[in-house]
Amino acid sequence: MPGAEIFSSTEASAATTIPTTSRDGVYYNARLDPKNYLEGPLSTNPATRLRQMLARPGIVVAPGICDGISARCAIEAGFDCLYQSLQDGQPDLAIATLNDFVGAAQMVCGINPTMPVIADADTGFGGPAMVGRTVTQYAKSGVAGMHIEDQVQTKRCGHLLGKQVVSREEFLTRIRAAVIARDAIPGGSDFVIIGRTDSAQVLGMEEAIERLKLAADAGADVCFIEGVKSKELLESTVAALAPKPVLVNVISGGLTPPFTYKEAEAMGAKIITCSLLSGILRGHGPCCSCRDALPEEDGNGLISAQGMDPKSFFEVMGLNEVIELDARAGGTAFEVV
């Protein structure tokens, strides 16, 4: 089973939930039917919690994060879902590897293991076997769901020009591989598969919507159209794909208008992600202003300009939890901080 190598064949055969397929060839897994997630308290399992959030009223707002610090800040700000897009100091040009993404996911998901994290999976990092491996590695890391796209392997940021996409069938092969790997996880995984198309800017909106319809039929739980350029196009996309949930990605200066989450919800979107780049761009000006205001011989002005002393900053990073754990274990290292 592609991607299931981290599980023994005995465990997989004993615990895998076998999906059923309707007569018209549309994937259907009764266990994952949204109606099963409408009631009850939110789960401590992040993938199950994400499915509950998708099945219930309200839009899922997922700010972009890339590391422990940005994740801590988003959690401190009160968000209940995170969007991990790797920012390793390199341009988004298929430079980062699966291991890079998994390492970042392990760090982020370890901060609050109940927090749903939606992770970027680019093109799946290879053929069907690598797509499957991506699913199992992400799920093992605690990721709640991932999106996989139809760009060529030498992909780029969805808001750059010059994109190229693979054929419909190759895109669907990626979706099928992800679904097969998810369904092979012992115990029955709730891991969410998000099909993303970048074809709107290359082949037009009609083709983009058709690709997402096919991805949904192949088992994608959510549809993600990158670079939708207007309110009307987003609304028509949502209508065409209903009842499948639709994700919209907003990035400062990108192809998609800067919708607020309330506007996106009114248009019918179920998830809105705000790329980390948006926050970086918004913060660049203030940071430069702080830098220019620094005394030539003293760098402490930056912290005071942000209105936060070191202890307050580290509290956002989890300082109090560390102090509590140390004290409960009998330690004395943090009696005074």
Side-chain angles (χ1 to χ4, degrees):
M1 185 70 68
E5 71 282 353
I6 64 170
F7 307 114
S8 73
S9 58
T10 301
E11 290 176 326
S13 61
T16 300
T17 298
I18 305 299
T20 59
T21 304
S22 65
R23 294 177 182 176
D24 57 1
V26 176
Y27 171 92
Y28 178 69
N29 187 328
R31 186 182 61 79
L32 300 179
D33 193 305
K35 70 176 184 294
N36 297 329
Y37 300 88
L38 288 171
E39 299 179 353
L42 290 176
S43 174
T44 57
N45 179 294
T48 304
R49 180 178 288 235
L50 179 57
R51 285 190 179 272
Q52 291 172 320
M53 294 165 69
L54 291 173
R56 301 176 187 189
I59 191 169
V60 177
V61 182
I65 54 92
C66 69
D67 57 15
I69 293 177
S70 54
R72 288 279 189 185
C73 290
I75 294 170
E76 177 72 11
F79 291 98
D80 52 14
C81 184
L82 303 177
Y83 172 52
Q84 179 191 306
S85 181
L86 186 65
Q87 300 287 339
D88 58 355
Q90 300 291 335
D92 186 359
L93 298 173
I95 296 172
T97 67
L98 172 59
N99 289 343
D100 294 327
F101 277 84
V102 170
Q106 290 172 338
M107 174 175 56
V108 168
C109 294
I111 293 173
N112 181 350
T114 69
M115 172 74 71
V117 174
I118 299 170
D120 186 351
D122 281 355
T123 61
F125 308 101
M130 277 300 295
V131 172
R133 185 167 185 261
T134 300
V135 169
T136 55
Q137 291 291 308
Y138 272 22
K140 187 178 181 181
S141 299
V143 173
M146 73 177 206
H147 64 72
I148 186 166
E149 65 200 50
D150 59 356
Q151 286 199 56
V152 297
Q153 294 295 344
T154 52
K155 56 92 59 186
R156 65 194 63 193
C157 170
H159 292 259
L160 295 177
L161 300 179
K163 294 187 293 184
Q164 299 179 54
V165 295
V166 298
S167 66
R168 284 186 186 181
E169 184 54 38
E170 185 170 347
F171 176 45
L172 295 178
T173 297
R174 294 174 183 175
I175 299 297
R176 293 189 199 104
V179 172
I180 290 169
R182 188 267 314 283
D183 290 344
I185 295 175
S189 173
D190 284 340
F191 190 83
V192 175
I193 306 296
I194 302 172
R196 163 180 157 174
T197 184
D198 286 76
S199 61
Q201 291 76 51
V202 182
L203 303 173
M205 283 296 297
E206 184 175 342
E207 173 66 15
I209 291 173
E210 183 60 28
R211 286 182 176 224
L212 290 179
K213 287 181 178 179
L214 293 171
D217 289 347
D221 301 295
V222 177
C223 293
F224 174 5
I225 185 164
E226 181 67 294
V228 61
K229 292 185 176 181
S230 71
K231 170 181 181 291
E232 293 73 22
L233 288 175
L234 178 55
E235 288 175 334
S236 63
T237 299
V238 170
L241 296 171
K244 192 65 66 172
V246 171
L247 182 155
V248 61
N249 180 40
V250 175
I251 179 172
S252 180
L255 297 171
T256 301
F259 301 130
T260 66
Y261 77 89
K262 290 184 178 180
E263 291 171 338
E265 183 176 18
M267 296 172 210
K270 188 60 184 178
I271 305 175
I272 182 169
T273 60
C274 179
S275 171
L276 175 73
L277 184 57
S278 299
I280 293 174
L281 292 174
R282 283 194 294 269
H284 182 263
C287 284
C288 289
S289 298
C290 289
R291 175 201 63 199
D292 294 340
L294 291 178
E296 291 184 0
E297 298 179 358
D298 184 359
N300 292 328
L302 181 59
I303 293 177
S304 60
Q306 298 297 318
M308 182 178 287
D309 60 37
K311 184 175 180 181
S312 298
F313 177 77
F314 288 128
E315 285 175 346
V316 175
M317 301 301 112
L319 175 64
N320 291 333
E321 290 86 345
V322 173
I323 293 174
E324 180 183 1
L325 174 61
D326 183 80
R328 291 179 61 186
T332 59
F334 304 113
E335 288 181 340
V336 178
V337 178

